[in-house]
């Protein structure tokens, strides 16, 4: 089965997306593998922003869609802000209704053992869920069942185990169902993998659609392995989410990832894009900590309308041992092609002095040295110790027993493996397909 392939490839942007306010994140998972359950939504903390992203008052008008130029501000406040990229999360005004579980799937009944869907549309900007939220609970026996409920809806449930070379083992479970007319449907898959190299993986994938035409898809995974180049243990967590409205030209996609090693090296990032009727937006950000004091953070986001208005904001900061720099740009293009931009920069010397400089297309400029304390985050607020503590189910995966005298085959490539988290292709300003 696809869930048990050795390297789960990221699927392309497909048609499983959702609508308006119906686009919610997964409900907290219960430990029971298959039973009636209706859980409420939970909230995951958002990532912490650096001081370089502190709000600047002039940014309020820079994000307007009316084509007006932003007003100038005092030179002393030239940092790019991370104000929310328009548009606000859908819905459009005509689709603000909060859907309930019973809108999509049959109500839980005490009769019959049919699995009940725990699938709900994902919610934007909620990052990577925890093990507890997914509540993956695999059976120790093979199961294959199907059935029909009293209302005519159908369901299925199956589980099993796949074995392969090098001690590869994949335990999995799948379940799903649909209404009698096929207008609503849900699917969910869980898996855990291991082999003799120490590789362990825990993952889940789910998708669904409702009678209104809304559709969505979500995938979550965490992995433990030993890096072939540093010989250090690493844990990686990732999530992909997408949703599409069935009633309007609206949809979105997000990919989140986090990587950690035992010496404090950390990498985090996200790529996002979406569309709401005549407006499209994109955002990418990343954080890198080398575990020895160096930190790099950056953000790049932009948006456009069908009328031709475009605007964006980006910034970057690099620091080590109190010395570093920040720089950024805010820009705006009117429907007629008139462009406005403001660039800014800071050099931090580590002695309480900061060189600030910048200019804009309206003629403003500044270049001065000020007395100012340098602040930046040299370590991630969530690091190796945190992810180990939150990955107990992943760490508890038991691989197959290795026979005496049999050793795992490790393929040491001539070059480091490619980065699988390169930015996905950004979609054109056309309706999400």
């Amino acid at each position: 089965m696809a869930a048990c392939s050795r390297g789960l490839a990221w699927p392309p942007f497909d048609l499983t997306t959702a609508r308006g306010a119906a686009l919610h994140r997964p409900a907290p998972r219960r430990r029971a593998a298959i039973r009636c359950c209706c859980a409420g939504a939970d909230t995951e903390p958002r990532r912490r922003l650096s001081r370089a992203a502190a709000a600047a008052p002039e940014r309020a008008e820079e994000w307007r869609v009316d084509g007006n130029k932003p007003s100038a501000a005092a030179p002393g406040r030239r940092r790019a802000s991370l104000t929310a990229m328009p548009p606000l999360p859908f819905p459009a005004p005509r689709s603000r209704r909060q859907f309930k579980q019973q809108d999509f799937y049959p109500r839980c009944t005490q009769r019959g053992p049919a699995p009940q869907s725990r699938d709900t549309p994902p919610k934007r900007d909620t990052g990577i869920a925890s093990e507890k939220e997914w509540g993956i609970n695999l059976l120790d026996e093979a199961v294959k069942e199907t059935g029909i409920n009293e209302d005519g809806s159908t369901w299925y449930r199956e589980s099993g185990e796949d074995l392969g070379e090098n001690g590869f083992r994949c335990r999995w479970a799948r379940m799903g169902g649909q209404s009698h007319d096929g207008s609503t449907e849900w699917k969910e898959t869980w898996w855990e993998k291991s082999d003799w190299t120490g590789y362990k993986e825990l993952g889940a994938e789910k998708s669904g659609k409702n009678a209104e035409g809304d559709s969505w898809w979500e995938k979550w995974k965490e992995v433990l392995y030993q890096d072939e180049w540093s010989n250090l243990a690493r844990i990686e967590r990732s999530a992909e989410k997408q949703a599409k409205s069935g009633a309007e030209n609206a949809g979105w996609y997000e990919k989140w990832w986090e990587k950690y090693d035992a010496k404090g090296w950390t990498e985090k990032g996200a790529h996002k894009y979406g569309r709401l009727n005549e407006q499209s937006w994109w955002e990418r950000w990343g954080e890198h900590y080398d575990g020895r004091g160096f930190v790099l953070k950056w953000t790049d986001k932009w948006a456009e309308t069908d009328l031709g208005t475009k605007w964006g904001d980006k910034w970057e900061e690099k620091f080590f041992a109190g010395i570093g720099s920040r720089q950024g740009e805010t820009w705006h293009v009117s429907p007629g092609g008139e462009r406005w931009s403001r660039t800014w920069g800071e050099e931090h010397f580590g002695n309480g002095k900061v060189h600030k400089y910048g200019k804009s297309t309206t003629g403003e400029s500044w270049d001065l040295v000020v007395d100012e304390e340098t602040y930046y985050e040299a370590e991630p607020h969530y690091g190796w110790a945190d992810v180990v503590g939150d990955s107990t189910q992943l760490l508890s995966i038991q691989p197959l027993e290795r026979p005496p005298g049999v050793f795992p085959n490790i393929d040491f490539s001539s070059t480091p493996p490619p980065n699988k988290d390169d930015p996905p292709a950004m979609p054109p300003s056309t309706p999400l397909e």
Side-chain angles (χ1 to χ4, degrees):
M1 60 178 291
C4 287
S5 61
R6 285 186 175 274
L8 288 180
W10 294 109
F13 187 90
D14 59 27
L15 299 183
T16 49
T17 40
R19 168 194 193 186
L23 306 181
H24 296 303
R25 65 173 301 180
R29 299 299 185 172
R30 300 187 180 180
R31 300 300 292 179
I34 302 174
R35 64 177 181 180
C36 293
C37 58
C38 298
D42 194 6
T43 303
E44 180 171 331
R46 296 172 182 263
R47 76 181 187 94
R48 185 176 299 177
L49 301 178
S50 70
R51 183 69 63 87
E58 68 269 24
R59 298 287 291 110
E61 292 191 12
E62 291 171 7
W63 294 88
R64 295 192 306 178
V65 187
D66 57 12
N68 294 333
K69 291 182 180 179
S71 60
R77 307 188 62 134
R78 288 299 185 273
R79 296 182 183 175
S81 73
L82 280 181
T83 49
M85 171 69 76
L88 296 176
F90 16 117
R94 60 190 175 91
S95 61
R96 294 187 179 277
R97 171 169 87 90
Q98 296 289 328
F99 293 111
K100 297 181 180 180
Q101 181 97 354
Q102 53 265 38
D103 292 338
F104 302 121
Y105 313 113
R107 292 179 179 270
C108 297
T109 64
Q110 297 182 351
R111 295 185 178 183
Q116 298 295 319
S117 169
R118 303 186 307 168
D119 183 37
T120 53
K123 189 176 181 180
R124 288 184 55 201
D125 284 321
T126 51
I128 304 174
S130 66
E131 289 181 350
K132 293 181 179 179
E133 289 176 283
W134 276 98
I136 298 173
N137 187 6
L138 296 168
L139 301 176
D140 292 327
E141 57 184 6
V143 172
K144 188 171 185 179
E145 300 175 319
T146 60
I148 302 177
N149 296 316
E150 294 179 352
D151 60 0
S153 60
T154 59
W155 59 270
Y156 67 89
R157 172 175 54 206
E158 55 186 0
S159 62
E161 179 180 279
D162 297 334
L163 303 178
E165 298 178 354
N166 217 26
F168 174 79
R169 180 191 189 194
C170 175
R171 299 173 61 222
W172 54 269
R174 291 184 297 196
M175 65 197 81
Q178 65 179 23
S179 61
H180 69 283
D181 60 0
S183 60
T184 65
E185 183 179 356
W186 65 275
K187 299 178 182 178
E188 186 162 1
T189 303
W190 302 335
W191 67 85
E192 67 173 37
K193 303 178 186 179
S194 61
D195 64 24
W196 290 336
T197 67
Y199 179 89
K200 297 182 179 182
E201 178 181 317
L202 185 68
E205 182 175 349
K206 67 177 184 177
S207 61
K209 67 176 183 177
N210 61 25
E212 288 80 6
D214 305 326
S215 57
W216 56 91
W217 169 82
E218 183 172 4
K219 183 176 182 180
W220 173 90
K221 183 173 72 172
E222 59 182 13
V223 173
L224 167 69
Y225 68 98
Q226 184 175 7
D227 183 71
E228 298 173 356
W229 297 92
S230 66
N231 208 32
L232 293 173
R234 282 196 175 188
I235 293 179
E236 298 184 2
R237 305 171 66 233
S238 61
E240 284 189 276
K241 311 172 187 182
Q242 59 191 40
K244 184 179 180 181
S245 169
E248 53 195 346
N249 185 16
W252 58 269
Y253 169 86
E254 295 180 354
K255 179 177 181 179
W256 300 72
W257 69 90
E258 300 174 356
K259 303 179 181 180
Y260 309 85
D261 78 11
K263 281 196 172 181
W265 177 92
T266 303
E267 181 180 298
K268 303 181 181 183
H271 296 147
K272 316 173 189 178
Y273 54 82
R275 183 174 179 88
L276 177 59
N277 296 322
E278 75 284 349
Q279 194 171 72
S280 303
W281 71 96
W282 297 260
E283 180 179 358
R284 298 184 294 176
W285 63 263
E287 297 180 359
H288 176 80
Y289 305 83
D290 72 351
R292 298 186 295 270
F294 172 80
V295 57
L296 165 66
K297 295 184 179 182
W298 61 274
T299 292
D300 188 6
K301 55 187 180 180
W302 64 102
E304 63 182 40
T305 70
D306 291 345
L307 298 177
T309 302
K310 301 179 182 180
W311 64 99
D313 179 56
K314 60 183 178 180
W315 61 265
E316 178 187 87
E317 70 173 32
K318 299 178 182 178
F319 281 96
F320 178 74
I323 300 174
S325 64
R326 293 188 176 107
Q327 58 186 2
E329 179 185 12
T330 300
W331 57 272
H332 182 279
V333 179
S334 69
E338 184 179 6
R339 179 180 176 85
W340 172 92
S341 70
R342 176 187 290 130
T343 58
W344 59 271
E346 297 179 356
E347 295 178 293
H348 294 251
F349 303 113
N351 58 1
K353 302 289 185 180
V354 179
H355 175 212
K356 298 188 175 186
Y357 57 92
K359 62 181 180 178
S360 75
T361 53
T362 56
E364 62 181 335
S365 64
W366 62 97
D367 192 332
L368 68 162
V369 176
V370 299
D371 295 323
E372 184 174 289
E373 180 182 358
T374 296
Y375 174 84
Y376 66 99
E377 294 176 327
E379 297 180 355
H381 68 277
Y382 185 94
W384 174 255
D386 301 295
V387 73
V388 169
D390 290 338
S391 303
T392 55
Q393 188 172 356
L394 172 68
L395 300 177
S396 66
I397 294 176
Q398 294 297 319
L400 291 174
E401 184 177 353
R402 181 164 54 89
V406 177
F407 301 96
N409 297 320
I410 302 178
D411 180 18
F412 290 96
S413 304
S414 58
T415 57
N419 182 7
K420 297 181 181 180
D421 292 308
D422 289 336
M426 293 292 107
S429 55
T430 55
L432 291 173
E433 299 278 316

